[in-house]
Amino acid sequence: MASDEASPPAERLRVVGAWSGALEVLLGVWTVPMLRAEVARRAGGVDPCRINLIFGGRVLRDDPPESLQQAGLKSNSKVLSSLTSPDRAKAIAAQAAAAAAEEEHTSRLTRLWDAAKALSQRHTDGSFPEEGFNVDLEDQSGQKVMFGSVDDIKAVKMALMLHQKAKTFIKRDKHKDALDVLMMAEEAFSLCDPKLIERVDNVPMLQLDIVWCYFVLHDVSCLELAGARLEKARSGFEHSHGKDSTRFRLLQAGHHADLAIYVRLELLEGVIAYHNGHTEKARESLNSAQVKYMQLQVPDEAISILMGMGYGARAAKRALKMTGYDIQSSVDLLCEERQKKIRRIQEDRETKKVIMEQRKYGKTPMNKAVDMQKLKFLVAIGFEKKLAAEALRINENDSDRALDLLTDPEQNCILQSKILSRALRSSRGSSAGSSSSSAAAATTASGVNNSQAQVNTSTNVPDGSAMAWSHAPSVMNEDAVNNGEATNNDEEDMEGDDANPPPVRDVVTENELAHELTGDVLDDYDIDVSNEGQAIAEYLSLLEPAVTS
């Protein structure tokens, strides 16, 4: 009978300090945590976290886990062990936990940035619609907004997605996380041409949210910086809303939607003035904020009247705040918002149809979707739709080259034969491959469940009015699954796919960002100012001694 392979010989280590003696170890097998645990056991069963191991003038760390041999230890190496106090051990453990939490936080921020960048890229440059929804910029009336260069649009989309994520953190009282994401949104805005966004209030809103986080976190170290940011916010609001919000009110049909913004702005201006010793300026700002705050206190009777008409409490309260408690104006506003919602649902359905049709035609060699506007043009001048779509697909949406191909009798004939043979293969495979088609459908449906909800969010555009993301719900590509067209398109004439594979998606983070886009153009202005009201009262009480002195 053959003998087992001989195990590697044990080596001896000399340990001094908290415990002294010789240890027989396998240098290539034992790790630092194993050595630490053994020394702790021999030192009287103390907590291994209290044992420090020093070799060659450096502290041996547990992370990354490596063998003693990889850590540089050899036979007869001398290791110094020391015993820390229980409090010190707890402090070391706390430091390690804090470091791990910070690393996780940094990784999380990186994922958010990358996901926002990927979404803005795909939904601007015509990439193939992997998600099954589309993200567009709209003005307050629901019209698509296209301004500046492609890079400008991508930068704005990216900034707005990050800002929306930060506002979600603020609503959840996670102001430290919100502040970090707001800084990333500010960086994204900086990538856009300043002249294109100087008349929108997204940037001043961002400045205001940053200072609000400073205030909630009691970060007095940012006092001077907060003052400069508030000046930018005030100037930006005046530029986009007009003097005394005249332009904004005109766009909002006379509604006072921005009142809550100025409550927060004037409160923070008063706080900064107070801490800088400018008591009169502080009192003026705080009194003005208090007047606006009182205007936002909606009578319960008015809310009850609207609720009696079938409106929800939150919607009724928001409408009343924005119309100065006028019942008829509130009803008009609610009806207008309802009509916008219905129109958006209809538009989302149309977008869904377009995306499903794009999927039928497959990807271009550069992983782009077929340009539906160019396809519409080719169909309008008399070309068959599938033929025109295929010509655009293989020519990377170059309409001139596609037109040359379609008008060349020989090339047109080849293209028709290719499409016909693909359709025949598809029809033959549909009966034989019913089992695999069902599996494909199940897989697709499973992937859709993570992004099923209809999502939209609002922001503002270069005319100073509100702008919204148009985000059609994600859907399963039923036609492609049933007839196999998209699959066959991907398998044939896609020589460029291997050379240009699509980037790996962070689906979870992208869906997280997408689902937080509300599409509500008034959401940015619907701020609960109860915390502001308490802060106003607190700082006004601090100014009272200055009045009596």
Side-chain angles (χ1 to χ4, degrees):
M1 180 177 179
S3 60
D4 294 334
E5 184 178 349
S7 357
E11 305 285 353
R12 175 173 294 187
L13 292 181
R14 291 181 297 151
V15 181
V16 296
W19 174 80
S20 297
L23 282 179
E24 298 288 336
V25 301
L26 298 174
L27 294 175
V29 176
W30 278 47
T31 62
V32 173
M34 292 170 63
L35 178 60
R36 188 190 312 280
E38 181 61 20
V39 172
R41 184 183 70 80
R42 298 193 180 217
V46 300
D47 187 345
C49 292
R50 296 180 58 193
I51 296 293
N52 274 339
L53 299 176
I54 301 174
F55 167 71
R58 62 184 177 87
V59 178
L60 298 178
R61 304 293 183 185
D62 294 352
D63 188 29
E66 57 183 6
S67 69
L68 298 181
Q69 190 175 51
Q70 291 173 322
L73 277 72
K74 300 178 181 179
S75 179
N76 292 317
S77 290
K78 184 177 180 180
V79 179
L80 175 63
S81 63
S82 61
L83 184 63
T84 63
S85 66
D87 291 340
R88 174 61 177 162
K90 291 179 181 178
I92 293 174
Q95 289 175 0
E102 181 62 26
E103 184 177 353
E104 182 180 353
H105 179 66
T106 301
S107 174
R108 172 71 173 150
L109 293 178
T110 301
R111 288 180 64 189
L112 283 173
W113 175 272
D114 291 342
K117 184 177 181 180
L119 281 172
S120 64
Q121 175 79 22
R122 283 201 303 277
H123 291 272
T124 303
D125 67 359
S127 293
F128 192 76
E130 301 286 352
E131 300 89 349
F133 58 78
N134 195 31
V135 178
D136 283 316
L137 299 177
E138 297 178 349
D139 61 22
Q140 196 168 37
S141 62
Q143 299 300 312
K144 296 290 187 294
V145 176
M146 297 295 291
F147 63 99
S149 67
V150 171
D151 289 338
D152 290 327
I153 296 173
K154 286 191 290 188
V156 170
K157 287 183 178 181
M158 186 175 176
L160 296 178
M161 280 188 277
L162 291 170
H163 192 181
Q164 183 64 31
K165 180 62 181 178
K167 286 186 284 190
T168 302
F169 280 135
I170 290 174
K171 290 177 181 178
R172 296 174 183 170
D173 292 326
K174 296 182 177 181
H175 293 87
K176 177 63 173 66
D177 292 333
L179 187 57
D180 290 334
V181 180
L182 286 169
M183 294 301 183
M184 293 197 303
E186 184 177 40
E187 182 179 350
F189 269 127
S190 71
L191 302 176
C192 185
D193 184 349
K195 293 182 179 179
L196 294 174
I197 56 174
E198 63 182 6
R199 292 189 62 188
V200 303
D201 69 5
N202 298 93
V203 177
M205 281 285 289
L206 179 71
Q207 299 290 345
L208 185 61
D209 286 340
I210 289 174
V211 180
W212 178 250
C213 289
Y214 289 159
F215 175 72
V216 174
L217 294 170
H218 306 290
D219 191 349
V220 294
S221 65
C222 293
L223 199 62
E224 183 176 348
L225 185 59
R229 288 187 180 278
L230 288 180
E231 289 177 6
K232 290 181 181 179
R234 168 71 71 175
S235 175
F237 284 133
E238 184 169 321
H239 198 81
S240 59
H241 293 174
K243 189 69 174 177
D244 298 323
S245 294
T246 51
R247 184 186 298 119
F248 185 82
R249 300 281 160 77
L250 181 63
L251 293 168
Q252 291 284 337
H255 300 149
H256 295 255
D258 60 336
L259 207 57
I261 291 175
Y262 286 96
V263 170
R264 179 173 288 183
L265 175 63
E266 292 175 352
L267 160 65
L268 294 173
E269 288 175 334
V271 170
I272 297 298
Y274 172 82
H275 287 289
N276 284 327
H278 306 309
T279 56
E280 287 305 317
K281 183 178 179 181
R283 187 179 296 109
E284 180 183 352
S285 296
L286 291 167
N287 283 332
S288 179
Q290 188 176 49
V291 170
K292 293 179 175 63
Y293 170 76
M294 295 306 298
Q295 289 179 260
L296 292 171
Q297 304 312 299
V298 181
D300 292 338
E301 298 80 9
I303 298 177
S304 298
I305 291 173
L306 290 182
M307 290 181 66
M309 297 180 183
Y311 296 107
R314 184 177 180 274
K317 185 175 182 179
R318 182 171 81 168
L320 288 164
K321 285 193 299 184
M322 293 182 178
T323 59
Y325 322 143
D326 184 280
I327 300 296
Q328 185 57 52
S329 296
S330 298
V331 172
D332 292 342
L333 177 60
L334 288 166
C335 290
E336 180 184 341
E337 290 303 304
R338 180 173 291 173
Q339 289 301 315
K340 287 181 180 178
K341 186 175 182 180
I342 292 172
R343 187 179 72 244
R344 185 176 298 282
I345 291 173
Q346 294 172 342
E347 290 174 352
D348 286 346
R349 287 173 180 167
E350 291 301 316
T351 302
K352 178 178 67 175
K353 291 179 181 178
V354 171
I355 292 172
M356 290 177 68
E357 185 174 1
Q358 283 180 310
R359 287 182 171 179
K360 289 181 182 179
Y361 302 135
K363 312 175 197 176
T364 72
M366 295 295 291
N367 295 313
K368 299 293 191 295
V370 170
D371 189 311
M372 300 305 288
Q373 291 299 319
K374 293 179 179 179
L375 176 60
K376 186 176 180 181
F377 165 74
L378 292 176
V379 171
I381 61 177
F383 293 104
E384 196 272 328
K385 199 168 191 179
K386 287 186 178 180
L387 197 65
E390 182 65 7
L392 284 170
R393 186 186 72 79
I394 63 179
N395 284 292
E396 203 60 56
N397 284 317
D398 187 320
S399 54
D400 290 335
R401 289 168 56 192
L403 191 58
D404 290 341
L405 186 152
L406 291 167
T407 54
D408 184 320
E410 183 178 350
Q411 293 297 323
N412 189 302
C413 184
I414 294 173
L415 194 62
Q416 289 188 55
S417 299
K418 191 176 295 185
I419 293 174
L420 180 60
S421 63
R422 180 182 302 146
L424 291 173
R425 286 199 307 272
S426 175
S427 61
R428 286 198 300 267
S430 60
S431 57
S434 59
S435 175
S436 61
S437 295
S438 300
T443 302
T444 307
S446 174
V448 166
N449 289 337
N450 291 330
S451 55
Q452 189 72 31
Q454 179 173 312
V455 187
N456 298 280
T457 191
S458 65
T459 180
N460 294 336
V461 291
D463 62 357
S465 63
M467 171 174 70
W469 295 93
S470 175
H471 180 309
S474 182
V475 293
M476 182 174 68
N477 186 4
E478 296 174 354
D479 292 342
V481 170
N482 290 337
N483 62 31
E485 280 192 45
T487 301
N488 286 323
N489 269 342
D490 288 343
E491 291 174 351
E492 188 172 326
D493 298 327
M494 300 295 282
E495 295 85 355
D497 276 357
D498 291 337
N500 300 281
V504 177
R505 290 180 55 203
D506 185 348
V507 178
V508 173
T509 308
E510 287 181 9
N511 284 345
E512 179 184 327
L513 284 172
H515 279 82
E516 288 170 355
L517 308 180
T518 65
D520 185 351
V521 297
L522 298 178
D523 185 62
D524 286 347
Y525 311 107
D526 185 22
I527 301 174
D528 180 4
V529 293
S530 55
N531 290 333
E532 285 83 346
Q534 294 176 8
I536 291 169
E538 178 184 343
Y539 275 88
L540 282 175
S541 67
L542 293 174
L543 288 169
E544 287 180 2
V547 176
T548 57
S549 59

